Amino acid sequence: MKKLLFLFGCLLCLVIAGCSNQSNGKQNDGKEEASNETVTYESETGPVEIPAEPQRIVALSNGPNVFALDGNLVGVDEWTKASPLFEEDMADIEIVSENDPEGILALEPDLIIAGSHMENLDELEKIAPTVIYTWGKLDYLEQQIEIGKLLNKQEEAQEWVDDFTKRAKAVGDKIKEKHGEDVSVSVFETDSKNFAVFGDNWARGTEILYQTMELEMPEKVQEDVLADGYYNLSQETLPEYAGDFIVLSSMGGENEFTKSETWQSIPAVENNQVIEIDTQEASYSDPATLEYLLDIFEEGFLQ
């Protein structure tokens, strides 16, 4: 009798295990079906059939935007990888280039994001569905929402946009309350030898300052910069483009020019109204970079 009970117990275990395996098989099959689902994404170059939930994304552009939405990145451009803001989180992500299609192919991407200015776009499209964006065609908030659509995370992207806009505008209101409604700001960048000034959509926080906070842009900047987005300056003409505040983007290190009489005579410098940022940390307009810069601006303008 005991032997019969023992044999019955063994058979029961086998039946349960078999059912469990069958159930797991169905779950795995379901996942495979889900991973094979596609949707049509309306890109600026036309409709592109993409995975409903991309699992291996190569971002030759807009990598930080994808990162902000927890996209599954396997490759990014060298500039994104070089940013100190992403250095730790992207340690295991490969550096890729449009000039190395074979390297991209080796990563087995199921989605590629590229810029319209890039080379070998036809080759990339042969590797995986490729979505192309033109820098500046969408404003910095619309771009994040568009990446949300691409990753099936539009609601999450929209929530961040609404919240960030509200917080950034509130900081802008405080700045104008403290320094006046017409307070102006210029955004310069230097590599210690050359200088440039930026308009309202060239990263380095320009979108926050001019578009969302609605701070004033010096008249000379409006005249010479807005059309192209940036303008190269001689050191001697810098004072003509300086606002009440200056945001100075640089790579760090010694900059002899900031010790010069020309620089020191600029009112914003004399009034200690220069906010310094790291070029490598400020070259994008994605959520992580924008949040980082918003904190810097809030402290710099309102200290």
Side-chain angles (χ1 to χ4, degrees):
M1 185 69 179
K2 289 182 179 179
K3 288 182 179 180
L4 287 173
L5 288 173
F6 175 74
L7 289 172
F8 178 76
C10 289
L11 287 170
L12 183 61
C13 289
L14 288 171
V15 171
I16 293 172
C19 291
S20 176
N21 288 336
Q22 187 176 15
S23 174
N24 287 338
K26 287 180 180 178
Q27 289 176 359
N28 290 336
D29 288 343
K31 288 181 180 178
E32 287 175 8
E33 287 176 11
S35 67
N36 289 329
E37 290 179 6
T38 62
V39 295
T40 300
Y41 174 76
E42 295 296 336
S43 78
E44 65 179 63
T45 58
V48 181
E49 202 74 14
I50 64 170
E53 296 183 359
Q55 295 302 309
R56 297 185 63 80
I57 303 169
V58 163
L60 295 164
S61 70
N62 300 102
N65 301 85
V66 175
F67 171 78
L69 289 168
D70 295 322
N72 298 305
L73 287 163
V74 295
V76 294
D77 63 284
E78 63 178 319
W79 303 109
T80 297
K81 191 73 180 278
S83 171
L85 296 183
F86 310 116
E87 185 176 10
E88 183 176 343
D89 291 311
M90 294 192 182
D92 297 328
I93 297 174
E94 296 291 328
I95 294 176
V96 290
S97 166
E98 74 270 24
N99 294 316
D100 182 21
E102 290 184 1
I104 294 174
L105 177 63
L107 294 176
E108 300 180 345
D110 59 2
L111 177 66
I112 299 172
I113 303 172
S116 60
H117 64 285
M118 293 180 178
E119 301 175 351
N120 299 316
L121 294 177
D122 290 342
E123 290 298 313
L124 298 179
E125 290 172 350
K126 295 175 185 176
I127 297 172
T130 300
V131 172
I132 297 167
Y133 294 111
T134 299
W135 170 266
K137 188 166 186 175
L138 299 173
D139 73 33
Y140 74 115
L141 298 176
E142 291 172 339
Q143 184 65 71
Q144 186 61 19
I145 293 172
E146 202 62 31
I147 296 294
K149 293 179 184 176
L150 185 66
L151 303 185
N152 195 23
K153 296 185 177 184
Q154 184 176 354
E155 185 176 340
E156 184 179 335
Q158 186 67 60
E159 286 176 358
W160 176 82
V161 165
D162 294 342
D163 179 61
F164 181 81
T165 301
K166 181 178 179 181
R167 289 184 287 115
K169 189 178 185 308
V171 173
D173 290 342
K174 290 179 182 177
I175 292 170
K176 286 182 276 190
E177 183 179 341
K178 180 174 181 177
H179 299 289
E181 286 291 324
D182 59 351
V183 62
S184 62
V185 57
S186 301
V187 181
F188 293 140
E189 186 163 285
T190 179
D191 60 5
S192 78
K193 293 181 180 179
N194 304 297
F195 276 86
V197 61
F198 297 109
D200 63 356
N201 65 340
W202 212 258
R204 285 78 171 174
T206 54
E207 293 90 349
I208 307 174
L209 298 169
Y210 297 126
Q211 294 184 36
T212 307
M213 293 182 179
E214 298 182 341
L215 301 182
E216 292 292 324
M217 180 184 291
E219 185 175 342
K220 188 70 171 168
V221 178
Q222 293 183 45
E223 292 174 0
D224 296 339
V225 181
L226 281 181
D228 295 325
Y230 71 97
Y231 186 72
N232 291 320
L233 303 172
S234 64
Q235 296 177 348
E236 293 73 22
T237 61
L238 273 174
E240 301 175 31
Y241 296 85
D244 300 317
F245 279 82
I246 292 173
V247 172
L248 181 62
S249 170
S250 70
M251 298 289 284
E254 281 293 316
N255 186 340
E256 291 298 321
F257 182 73
T258 57
K259 300 175 183 177
S260 71
E261 185 177 342
T262 301
W263 177 261
Q264 293 294 329
S265 66
I266 297 173
V269 179
E270 293 179 332
N271 297 328
N272 195 30
Q273 293 184 166
V274 176
I275 301 168
E276 296 189 24
I277 60 176
D278 185 321
T279 300
Q280 284 188 302
E281 295 176 336
S283 297
Y284 290 96
S285 302
D286 65 283
T289 302
L290 294 168
E291 294 284 4
Y292 170 74
L293 290 174
L294 181 60
D295 288 342
I296 290 177
F297 292 156
E298 183 171 15
E299 181 179 349
F301 282 98
L302 301 174
Q303 62 183 352

